[in-house]
Amino acid sequence: MPYITLTTDFGQKDGFVGVLKGVIWRICPKAQIADISHEIAPQNILEGAFALWRAYRFFPPGTVHVAVIDPGVGTQRRLLAAKIGIWFFVGPDNGLFTRIYKDAKLYKWSMECVHLVNENYFLPQVSHTFHGRDIFAPIAAHLANGVALSKLGPILDNPVQILIPEPEKTPKGWRVHVIGIDRFGNLITNMPTGWIEEKGNVHLRAGRFDVHGVADSYGAYPPGKLIALTSSDGQLELAVVNGSAAHITGMQVGDILEVIE
Amino acid sequence: MPYITLTTDFGQKDGFVGVLKGVIWRICPKAQIADISHEIAPQNILEGAFALWRAYRFFPPGTVHVAVIDPGVGTQRRLLAAKIGIWFFVGPDNGLFTRIYKDAKLYKWSMECVHLVNENYFLPQVSHTFHGRDIFAPIAAHLANGVALSKLGPILDNPVQILIPEPEKTPKGWRVHVIGIDRFGNLITNMPTGWIEEKGNVHLRAGRFDVHGVADSYGAYPPGKLIALTSSDGQLELAVVNGSAAHITGMQVGDILEVIE
Amino acid sequence: MPYITLTTDFGQKDGFVGVLKGVIWRICPKAQIADISHEIAPQNILEGAFALWRAYRFFPPGTVHVAVIDPGVGTQRRLLAAKIGIWFFVGPDNGLFTRIYKDAKLYKWSMECVHLVNENYFLPQVSHTFHGRDIFAPIAAHLANGVALSKLGPILDNPVQILIPEPEKTPKGWRVHVIGIDRFGNLITNMPTGWIEEKGNVHLRAGRFDVHGVADSYGAYPPGKLIALTSSDGQLELAVVNGSAAHITGMQVGDILEVIE
């Protein structure tokens, strides 16, 4: 089966996502299409990159991941398709796939990017404002149909990357960044808990809040308690049992926590 | 065709729902997946139970219904799969399926529950925080593939049930509970209108509001009028024509109405 | 493959959309179903008509488009199915498809409407409050299965149309209406930019804001600038680069802009 996923900042009210599905099905009639997120904040490339990164590796080999958070639509920014590991990626060349490039390096996956210039694989008419419809959806459908990456355009060997903050070593431990807040108000950081030597004894300072130790699960503590634990993606995360760590701490994406070992 | 539905409190922004779909398709490539709701309030088992109950019986025989509202994830709460009537159910054993158990009793359907302990049908690595991904989605996909319930674990004959309020008989009629408020602001109660003997003459008292008679439809009255009618699920419901009964009455889930016959 | 799309005001929380999918799959097991929008404001036929119009023509021939924004459910309003051009449409006869009728006239497509009266194609029990479930979803599934339109009921040759505002000619140019605001806050008008003779010189007056010229894309201007451009649907649109024109201008659906040529 051909699988295609969609990650956008289109929202779910206006019908834009439906447009993409129609375009895909006209070209690849059997495509199974999954929405990863359409609620990315408008133009927030970092947030889109994170949602896609959370999900992409769980999909079957050959899945085509389309991501359209595209503040530069209609300008000279490049259009990109890539095969990384066992998956394809299609979207603007604005850094949306930076986390995937990092995974490719980490896991030594193959990686090939092309610059989408062959208009034979676009819709016949291309607007200046909706390349998701006119370029990315048709390209994804053609890839799902088995069209070779090399037919879509020449190799692009320097895809744009965005700066993704990394934990910084300090004399006592690490300074880590909040990189995501999920629907439950969990604060997800950029530090894998695998880096922490003694999970039981570590001390976290989050603004005026102190947390001691990294818990095993939300459920092992009383409701309302602020705890640290390993997120489902393997990252250090602050959570409030049956509550919202974001609400209680007031922390936001980009804020800093200290990890003291 | 194998069908799987998803009812969760994950929201639609973070990509968690996409993760479930990827996991499912890797195991059951032909699964058709329907979202029932991902907007259940975090950890609100009662609300999730109601949304699933509204929808489950309209799906084809063999459909696997996955529900993940799981405040106890990572604790000792049990993991459950069941065949009830012609459908399968997968989720935490926390009462999410209580309404289905009641239907099984009412309609004399067969019901078999198992305790999910056979890790061969989980993902290879199981986190402490995302059993939807690591356990429930793969189990659902294996059930959709035709794996027998009995292979997943031993029989579980006392599944947890939550307290679902029932109408209470009073000398003059009934005290009934608001059990749901839908997007239109309709207040849905736990009383089937089939129990009311004379629909034309019944008197409803909802706080300081009085309603006389149960109408046939929203459209038969002028906009703005507070009416009672039979919900699409057969329940007594308060509605405002082209408006919101929740907004006008200020009533909430759990509030009481008096039905005076 | 049979394709069905859904456009409703049901929201995504309560499970109503899942109900429709279950009903469809029981009748047409292979249907691929796309959500166009479920976030249409309750009972807002004009908004639903616009979202469906944006998306319908991108779907494959034979796609059945179901739309349920239905303030008159349960009253004497008629139920309609239509074949217009290469697509089918199913919903209440309340003007939801007016934009499609206009397209049929414009593009000289064939158009045949029937009045849904043959109850053999409804669910066995029809409620007064949820015709989406009991009538429109089953009809759509039967159409997707290849049932002829003529079997569903007699010809309906005067479908209800809603008033869709058109640009008005003025001595100096046009008075145009805001007909939609998308998630990005773009203000979409009812005037095709193809009608403007000199895009570089046109002057737009939007309340106390003046815009000169119609730009090619969002990205060609600095963030924060209010610009006019051609929407992805070919309409004149006001946008703020990486911002919200709706927020900055305070304009709403129905407001007027002056186009001075």
Side-chain angles (χ1 to χ4, degrees):
Chain A
M1 303 287 291
Y3 301 102
I4 295 175
T5 80
L6 305 175
T7 304
T8 77
D9 59 359
F10 295 172
Q12 298 182 89
K13 178 172 184 178
D14 301 316
F16 296 122
V17 176
V19 169
L20 298 191
K21 292 180 184 179
V23 168
I24 287 169
W25 282 337
R26 282 193 102 148
I27 296 169
C28 180
K30 296 199 166 188
Q32 293 280 24
I33 307 172
D35 302 303
I36 289 183
S37 180
H38 301 294
E39 301 300 328
I40 302 302
Q43 286 103 28
N44 193 326
I45 294 169
L46 204 61
E47 192 173 284
F50 190 52
L52 175 60
W53 175 78
R54 173 174 280 136
Y56 83 96
R57 62 193 184 279
F58 294 97
F59 280 83
T63 295
V64 183
H65 295 292
V66 179
V68 193
I69 294 104
D70 194 9
V73 60
T75 64
Q76 293 304 312
R77 66 93 181 80
R78 298 177 297 188
L79 310 156
L80 174 147
K83 185 167 191 194
I84 304 177
I86 57 176
W87 305 276
F88 293 93
F89 298 85
V90 179
D93 179 30
N94 62 14
L96 258 175
F97 305 121
T98 304
R99 289 182 174 277
I100 324 287
Y101 308 149
K102 286 179 183 272
D103 280 359
K105 199 168 171 189
L106 183 64
Y107 299 116
K108 302 195 198 317
W109 293 336
S110 66
M111 172 165 157
E112 185 187 352
C113 301
V114 299
H115 182 189
L116 299 173
V117 296
N118 186 346
E119 297 178 9
N120 293 327
Y121 296 98
F122 299 176
L123 288 196
Q125 287 194 314
V126 173
S127 71
H128 290 285
T129 55
F130 196 2
H131 287 178
R133 176 188 69 190
D134 304 330
I135 299 177
F136 301 128
I139 290 282
H142 286 299
L143 284 169
N145 276 341
V147 168
L149 207 57
S150 59
K151 291 206 173 169
L152 306 178
I155 286 184
L156 184 160
D157 56 12
N158 56 345
V160 170
Q161 301 206 27
I162 49 175
L163 185 70
I164 292 183
E166 297 285 346
E168 298 155 36
K169 195 83 192 75
T170 62
K172 292 172 172 178
W174 304 85
R175 279 163 52 88
V176 305
H177 303 75
V178 176
I179 55 168
I181 298 176
D182 68 22
R183 193 205 185 197
F184 302 95
N186 298 323
L187 300 161
I188 299 142
T189 76
N190 55 351
M191 177 151 171
T193 57
W195 295 10
I196 298 173
E197 289 190 14
E198 290 196 64
K199 290 205 184 66
N201 291 328
V202 72
H203 170 198
L204 298 171
R205 190 169 287 160
R208 60 186 182 81
F209 296 87
D210 290 281
V211 176
H212 293 273
V214 175
D216 272 342
S217 77
Y218 306 110
Y221 291 87
K225 185 168 171 64
L226 180 70
I227 61 173
L229 77 171
T230 303
S231 82
S232 56
D233 307 309
Q235 307 293 117
L236 179 67
E237 158 181 319
L238 281 189
V240 164
V241 181
N242 294 359
S244 166
H247 188 73
I248 282 181
T249 65
M251 297 187 83
Q252 300 186 336
V253 170
D255 283 355
I256 304 282
L257 281 80
E258 278 186 86
V259 178
I260 302 159
E261 288 202 282
Chain B
M1 303 287 290
Y3 301 102
I4 295 175
T5 80
L6 305 175
T7 304
T8 78
D9 60 357
F10 296 173
Q12 299 182 86
K13 178 172 183 176
D14 300 316
F16 295 122
V17 176
V19 170
L20 297 191
K21 293 180 183 178
V23 168
I24 286 168
W25 281 338
R26 282 193 102 149
I27 295 168
C28 179
K30 294 197 167 189
Q32 292 281 25
I33 308 171
D35 302 304
I36 289 182
S37 181
H38 301 294
E39 301 299 328
I40 302 303
Q43 285 104 29
N44 193 326
I45 294 169
L46 204 60
E47 191 172 285
F50 190 52
L52 176 60
W53 175 79
R54 174 173 279 137
Y56 82 96
R57 63 193 183 279
F58 294 97
F59 280 83
T63 295
V64 184
H65 295 291
V66 180
V68 193
I69 295 104
D70 195 9
V73 61
T75 64
Q76 293 303 314
R77 66 93 182 80
R78 296 178 299 187
L79 310 156
L80 174 146
K83 184 166 191 195
I84 304 177
I86 56 177
W87 305 276
F88 293 93
F89 298 86
V90 179
D93 179 30
N94 63 14
L96 257 176
F97 304 120
T98 304
R99 288 181 174 279
I100 324 286
Y101 307 150
K102 285 178 183 271
D103 280 358
K105 199 168 171 190
L106 184 64
Y107 300 115
K108 302 193 196 320
W109 293 336
S110 66
M111 173 165 156
E112 185 186 354
C113 301
V114 300
H115 182 189
L116 299 173
V117 296
N118 186 346
E119 297 179 8
N120 293 327
Y121 295 99
F122 299 176
L123 288 197
Q125 288 194 314
V126 173
S127 71
H128 291 285
T129 55
F130 196 2
H131 287 179
R133 176 188 68 189
D134 304 330
I135 299 177
F136 301 127
I139 289 283
H142 286 298
L143 283 170
N145 276 342
V147 168
L149 207 57
S150 59
K151 292 207 171 169
L152 306 178
I155 286 185
L156 183 160
D157 57 13
N158 57 345
V160 170
Q161 301 206 27
I162 49 174
L163 185 70
I164 292 184
E166 296 285 346
E168 298 154 35
K169 195 82 191 79
T170 63
K172 292 173 172 174
W174 305 84
R175 280 164 51 89
V176 305
H177 303 76
V178 176
I179 55 169
I181 298 176
D182 67 21
R183 194 208 185 194
F184 302 94
N186 298 323
L187 299 161
I188 299 142
T189 76
N190 55 350
M191 176 151 173
T193 56
W195 295 11
I196 298 174
E197 290 191 13
E198 290 197 62
K199 290 204 183 67
N201 291 326
V202 72
H203 170 198
L204 299 171
R205 191 169 286 160
R208 59 186 182 82
F209 296 87
D210 291 281
V211 175
H212 294 274
V214 175
D216 272 342
S217 76
Y218 306 111
Y221 291 87
K225 185 168 171 64
L226 179 70
I227 60 172
L229 76 172
T230 303
S231 82
S232 56
D233 307 311
Q235 307 293 116
L236 180 66
E237 158 182 320
L238 281 188
V240 165
V241 181
N242 293 357
S244 166
H247 188 74
I248 282 181
T249 66
M251 296 188 84
Q252 300 186 335
V253 170
D255 283 355
I256 304 281
L257 281 80
E258 278 186 86
V259 178
I260 303 159
E261 289 201 283
Chain C
M1 304 286 291
Y3 300 101
I4 295 175
T5 79
L6 305 175
T7 304
T8 77
D9 60 358
F10 295 173
Q12 299 183 87
K13 176 172 186 176
D14 300 316
F16 295 122
V17 176
V19 170
L20 297 191
K21 293 181 183 178
V23 169
I24 287 168
W25 282 337
R26 282 193 104 147
I27 295 169
C28 180
K30 296 198 166 189
Q32 293 280 25
I33 307 171
D35 302 303
I36 289 183
S37 180
H38 301 294
E39 301 299 329
I40 303 303
Q43 287 102 28
N44 192 326
I45 295 169
L46 203 61
E47 191 173 286
F50 190 51
L52 175 60
W53 175 79
R54 173 174 280 138
Y56 82 97
R57 63 192 182 281
F58 294 97
F59 280 83
T63 295
V64 183
H65 295 292
V66 180
V68 194
I69 295 103
D70 195 7
V73 62
T75 64
Q76 293 302 315
R77 66 94 181 80
R78 297 177 298 188
L79 311 155
L80 175 146
K83 183 165 191 195
I84 304 177
I86 56 176
W87 306 276
F88 294 93
F89 298 85
V90 179
D93 178 30
N94 63 14
L96 257 176
F97 305 122
T98 304
R99 288 181 174 279
I100 324 286
Y101 308 149
K102 285 178 184 271
D103 280 359
K105 199 167 170 190
L106 184 64
Y107 300 116
K108 301 192 197 321
W109 293 337
S110 66
M111 171 165 158
E112 187 187 353
C113 301
V114 300
H115 183 190
L116 299 172
V117 295
N118 186 346
E119 297 178 9
N120 293 326
Y121 296 99
F122 299 176
L123 288 196
Q125 288 195 313
V126 173
S127 71
H128 291 286
T129 55
F130 196 2
H131 287 179
R133 176 189 68 190
D134 304 331
I135 299 177
F136 301 127
I139 290 283
H142 286 298
L143 283 170
N145 277 341
V147 169
L149 207 55
S150 58
K151 292 207 172 169
L152 305 178
I155 286 186
L156 184 160
D157 56 12
N158 56 346
V160 170
Q161 301 206 26
I162 50 174
L163 185 69
I164 292 185
E166 296 285 345
E168 298 154 36
K169 196 80 192 79
T170 63
K172 291 172 171 177
W174 304 85
R175 278 163 52 89
V176 305
H177 302 76
V178 176
I179 54 169
I181 299 176
D182 68 22
R183 194 207 186 196
F184 302 94
N186 298 323
L187 299 161
I188 299 142
T189 76
N190 56 351
M191 178 154 171
T193 56
W195 296 10
I196 298 174
E197 289 190 14
E198 288 197 63
K199 290 203 184 67
N201 291 328
V202 73
H203 170 199
L204 299 171
R205 191 169 286 160
R208 59 185 182 84
F209 296 87
D210 290 281
V211 175
H212 294 274
V214 176
D216 272 342
S217 76
Y218 306 111
Y221 290 87
K225 185 169 172 63
L226 180 70
I227 60 172
L229 77 171
T230 303
S231 82
S232 56
D233 306 310
Q235 305 295 114
L236 180 67
E237 158 182 319
L238 281 189
V240 164
V241 181
N242 293 358
S244 166
H247 188 73
I248 282 181
T249 65
M251 295 187 87
Q252 300 186 338
V253 170
D255 283 355
I256 304 282
L257 281 80
E258 278 186 88
V259 178
I260 302 158
E261 291 202 281

